[in-house]
Amino acid sequence: DGGITQSPKYLFRKEGQNVTLSCEQNLNHDAMYWYRQDPGQGLRLIYYSQIVNDFQKGDIAEGYSVSREKKESFPLTVTSAQKNPTAFYLCASSGDWNSPLHFGNGTRLTVT
Amino acid sequence: GQQLNQSPQSMFIQEGEDVSMNCTSSSIFNTWLWYKQDPGEGPVLLIALYKAGELTSNGRLTAQFGTTRKDSFLNISASIPSDVGIYFCAELPQGGSEKLVFGKGTKLTVNP
């Protein structure tokens, strides 16, 4: 079945370490997105990519970085510059630039 | 920026009861989306609405795109325990899915 796979499900890191979250999709979607979810705050856009080798900052990009070397993959790196990295991270994709998003099952990152 | 107000913030109901939640926007949009997020999982698209006045059903779920194009509601009939989760409305404006705006969610608890 087609879908979006995020790994790992849970991730624990020490403060000051960079960490990379994986997102892979086999839906042949051009556009991919990363969101951060905190309790009571809904979903906030970190980065998005409409096509391979191109990506744009979202509303809360500071302290994060991404790459889009392959259509099916859009990894997110949470750097040590992100002041409050503990959160639930959601990856999504869409078939074109104006279609509803399909989400992965998320990665819960805890930084201590 | 756009504001999307979703209410109520949370609901506690008995199994078998009907549920209604709504979203209002400060701006006019062309597409309303309703997602459900199970605990610890990613949001799943329930219903998409594309025209003002449109009424769409998906099983026990019914959603409507308000005639003013600034609001939408979601009804769940005869609730069951697996309806538990967070329901998000979202607006998809013209110009790209990266501009998708989410409400803050309605957390539904169903008591057996």
Side-chain angles (χ1 to χ4, degrees):
Chain A
D1 282 3
I4 303 173
T5 301
Q6 290 187 244
S7 61
K9 181 71 172 172
Y10 299 96
L11 195 51
F12 298 88
R13 280 293 183 271
K14 293 288 188 186
E15 192 174 323
Q17 293 179 335
N18 291 355
V19 59
T20 297
L21 283 59
S22 170
C23 179
E24 303 277 331
Q25 55 100 359
N26 60 5
L27 299 167
N28 200 33
H29 284 173
D30 284 317
M32 297 187 74
Y33 312 80
W34 275 105
Y35 285 87
R36 172 182 171 137
Q37 186 176 26
D38 296 285
Q41 293 203 40
L43 280 68
R44 293 183 290 170
L45 182 64
I46 304 172
Y47 266 99
Y48 65 97
S49 168
Q50 293 180 326
I51 198 167
V52 175
N53 292 322
D54 184 58
F55 49 83
Q56 305 294 331
K57 293 182 179 180
D59 300 319
I60 56 165
E62 185 176 349
Y64 300 98
S65 66
V66 294
S67 63
R68 186 87 187 275
E69 297 176 2
K70 298 186 298 182
K71 185 175 186 177
E72 56 270 23
S73 179
F74 191 39
L76 173 74
T77 297
V78 184
T79 74
S80 57
Q82 169 49 232
K83 299 205 183 326
N84 186 19
T86 295
F88 191 52
Y89 290 88
L90 287 161
C91 179
S93 70
S94 65
D96 59 45
W97 60 276
N98 204 30
S99 296
L101 271 55
H102 298 267
F103 286 88
N105 276 333
T107 292
R108 185 166 298 281
L109 173 64
T110 302
V111 177
T112 58
Chain B
Q2 295 97 14
Q3 301 247 337
L4 199 55
N5 297 310
Q6 184 171 354
S7 64
Q9 190 173 5
S10 61
M11 302 182 74
F12 298 84
I13 63 170
Q14 293 297 125
E15 183 176 357
E17 290 184 3
D18 297 342
V19 172
S20 183
M21 60 192 78
N22 68 84
C23 274
T24 58
S25 171
S26 57
S27 303
I28 292 174
F29 287 97
N30 294 312
T31 302
W32 279 98
L33 307 172
W34 284 95
Y35 287 88
K36 183 199 176 192
Q37 184 177 28
D38 289 330
E41 304 294 327
V44 174
L45 183 66
L46 298 174
I47 292 178
L49 302 162
Y50 297 100
K51 294 191 304 186
E54 180 179 356
L55 182 71
T56 297
S57 293
N58 179 4
R60 293 177 296 105
L61 277 61
T62 302
Q64 184 160 25
F65 194 147
T67 53
T68 65
R69 295 170 63 192
K70 288 187 174 184
D71 63 337
S72 177
F73 70 75
L74 175 71
N75 288 342
I76 305 173
S77 63
S79 59
I80 59 177
S82 62
D83 289 335
V84 163
I86 302 176
Y87 292 80
F88 291 99
C89 61
E91 295 176 321
L92 182 57
Q94 292 288 349
S97 299
E98 72 276 8
K99 296 182 174 59
L100 192 64
V101 179
F102 287 89
K104 292 188 176 181
T106 295
K107 186 175 182 179
L108 179 64
T109 302
V110 180
N111 296 315

